[in-house]
Structures are given as structure tokens and as C-alpha cells.
Amino acid sequence: MRGSPLSRRVTIIRGGIVVDAAGYRRADVMICGQTIEDVGPDLSIPQGARVLDAGGSVVAPGFVDLHSHLREPGFERAETVLSGARAAAKGGYSAVVAMPNTNPPVDHAGMVRELRSIAAGAPVHVAVAGCITAGRAGGSLAPLAEMAALGVRLFTDDGNCVEDPALLRRALEYGLDLPITIAEHCEDPRLASEGCMHEGAWSDRLGLPGVPAEAEEFLVARDCTLARLTGGRLHLMHLSSGRSLGIVRDARSDGARVTAEVTPHHLSLTDAAIAGYDPVYRVNPPLRP
């Protein structure tokens, strides 16, 4: 293969722990151009191939972040589309979904075009999510079809739930004729009130106002009921309660088209982490027991 085009563009990722649909195992990965040609133990190395030592590392397909806050426009001091995309690439992500709770929010086609133009220069694929309601205000539906025509596939008022169940029902029904999913931030603001952590033994001990898990579970149950009623596609974001997951399982077994996500910190930490009043552990939704 000396000097051939194939040998010049072959890369072997050697000795890593490969994680894919088949599970995980120690294996090599052969890449020719932009195509994965082979995965297996102790692959032969073509002459002239580039070899990357992945010993002690995980080798996986590019991760996808369904819920990223790139903060542009309006909050560029915290993040921009390009800075967030660069961070994603460094962390092994090949695609991210940018939430629309910016200022102004992504609630019309012009905003979608602007962000897609910026994202064209990003090192990873940036998918733009759109708002369910105009201005994320919960009063009327945003122009979902206009944004869907530009490729928007996820709609959410992230940071807010859609408080009006009739309006959420219309969004789910409207989405039946579009290739879209309605995503909900499940937290009833009236139950959450001014809480800053989970309502329970630790909030009592620390003297801090709490957010009961029921603030989430109430809306999860409502939204799953509406998904079953309408047949619409519903995604529930950053769930924090085990009972919420039980409601989702029951709804799915009953035919509702519902999916859900959970964050790494909700899997690995509890509300006891706030015992030292460290604000790093004040997250939304709050850490639960």
C-alpha cells in the first residue's frame, strides 16, 4: 500500500475501550477517510497509516447533547454559539441542541436563520430548538410550521413550562402534521415558588426554601396524559424524580409517544451535597434525595 491514496488516509485508533451498540470491549478502530472500516482486537496496521494510542481512553461515537445553553443572543458574556460548540468538541460531542431561551428568544424564522448562520462556522453540528409559545410567554403558539420548514425539530419554552394545558394540547396536535417533538420543562412555578433546593429533610435542616418533587411530578403526569390524548410526540427534559420516571414508563406502556432525559449530576449527587451551602450545587431542577 506504499504511496497509495488509501494508506495516506488510514488512521488506526489503538488499544482503547470501545463503547458502541455492541457494548464495551478493548478494540482497535480503523478509519479510512471519513468511514469507520473495521473495529476489532489487534487490527493489522497498513503501511503508512497514522496510529493513535488510545490506551486508557474510551473510544465512542460522537456524543449528542439534547439540551445545551449556548446563550446567544443576549447572554454572550456567559457563552456563545461558537464557544459552546468548541467546548462540546473538546468533550467528545459531535452535535448539540441549542435551547431557545435567549434574549430575544428563538420564536420565529428570522432568529432561526440568524443562529444557523452563526452555527455554520462551528466545529460540531448545532441544531437550533425553537419556542413553543411566542416570547416564551405562554399566551399563544409561536409559528411552529415556519421554523420547522427551516429544519427545527425540537420546540420548548425551556426555563418555563407551558402552564395552559389547552395550549400545550394544541401544540401537540399541531405537531402531528410536522416532523417535530414538543419538549417540556416540567416544573409548576406555583408549587416551586421561591424554592432554591429540594424540599425535604436537608432544606429543613439548612433553613432554605424548598421545591417539592411534586412540582415536577404534577406536570409530568399532566403532560403524559396530554401526549396520550393527542398522539403527539413529547420529550420531558432534565427529570429529577424517580416517581417522574415511573409516570413516564406507565405512559409509554399505555402507548404515549413520550421520551425523557436525565442529567449526570442528578444521577450522581443528592441534596445532601448542599450541606455546606455551596452554590455550585444549586441547580434547576434541584438535586433530590
Side-chain angles (χ1 to χ4, degrees):
M1 297 178 64
R2 181 187 298 274
S4 71
L6 180 62
S7 68
R8 287 197 300 270
R9 57 190 181 92
V10 171
T11 299
I12 303 289
I13 302 176
R14 194 76 157 173
I17 303 299
V18 171
V19 179
D20 59 16
Y24 64 93
R25 70 273 189 207
R26 199 214 67 80
D28 303 334
V29 179
M30 178 185 287
I31 304 170
C32 296
Q34 298 186 29
T35 303
I36 296 174
E37 292 289 346
D38 199 5
V39 179
D42 302 317
L43 296 180
S44 60
I45 302 176
Q47 185 175 0
R50 181 174 63 151
V51 179
L52 303 178
D53 181 5
S57 300
V58 169
V59 181
F63 301 126
V64 176
D65 188 344
L66 293 177
H67 191 130
S68 61
H69 290 276
L70 302 186
R71 303 300 184 190
E72 186 176 4
F75 306 104
E76 287 85 353
R77 286 188 306 168
E79 193 75 272
T80 68
V81 170
L82 295 181
S83 70
R86 288 193 293 269
K90 290 281 284 185
Y93 288 79
S94 57
V96 299
V97 181
M99 292 292 101
N101 53 338
T102 52
N103 184 25
V106 186
D107 64 352
H108 62 279
M111 283 294 304
V112 174
R113 291 191 187 95
E114 178 180 339
L115 288 177
R116 290 184 64 182
S117 176
I118 296 170
V124 301
H125 176 64
V126 177
V128 178
C131 298
I132 299 172
T133 68
R136 295 175 55 246
S140 60
L141 289 182
L144 307 185
E146 290 181 15
M147 290 186 279
L150 295 174
V152 176
R153 294 294 176 260
L154 191 74
F155 289 88
T156 176
D157 280 359
D158 183 41
N160 297 335
C161 69
V162 178
E163 291 191 54
D164 183 348
L167 188 59
L168 183 61
R169 176 184 180 175
R170 287 203 296 275
L172 288 163
E173 290 174 337
Y174 197 65
L176 293 174
D177 295 324
L178 298 170
I180 67 171
T181 297
I182 299 298
E184 267 275 78
H185 173 119
C186 287
E187 184 179 75
D188 188 304
R190 294 156 297 189
L191 287 174
S193 188
E194 298 300 319
C196 64
M197 66 173 295
H198 173 71
E199 181 181 294
W202 273 107
S203 65
D204 288 346
R205 185 178 304 181
L206 298 171
L208 295 173
V211 179
E214 287 77 7
E216 173 180 291
E217 296 156 4
F218 169 70
L219 282 183
V220 169
R222 183 202 72 169
D223 292 357
C224 286
T225 299
L226 292 174
R228 186 169 56 244
L229 170 67
T230 62
R233 288 175 291 272
L234 175 68
H235 180 69
L236 303 178
M237 302 189 294
H238 50 54
L239 295 185
S240 64
S241 158
R243 286 192 296 268
S244 291
L245 295 180
I247 295 167
V248 171
R249 290 190 191 100
D250 289 345
R252 286 171 62 87
S253 66
D254 205 20
R257 295 196 289 175
V258 181
T259 55
E261 71 192 35
V262 64
T263 74
H265 48 275
H266 283 100
L267 291 174
S268 58
L269 298 171
T270 72
D271 56 342
I274 307 179
Y277 294 98
D278 187 339
V280 161
Y281 299 107
R282 181 187 176 184
V283 294
N284 188 28
L287 300 172
R288 308 285 185 191

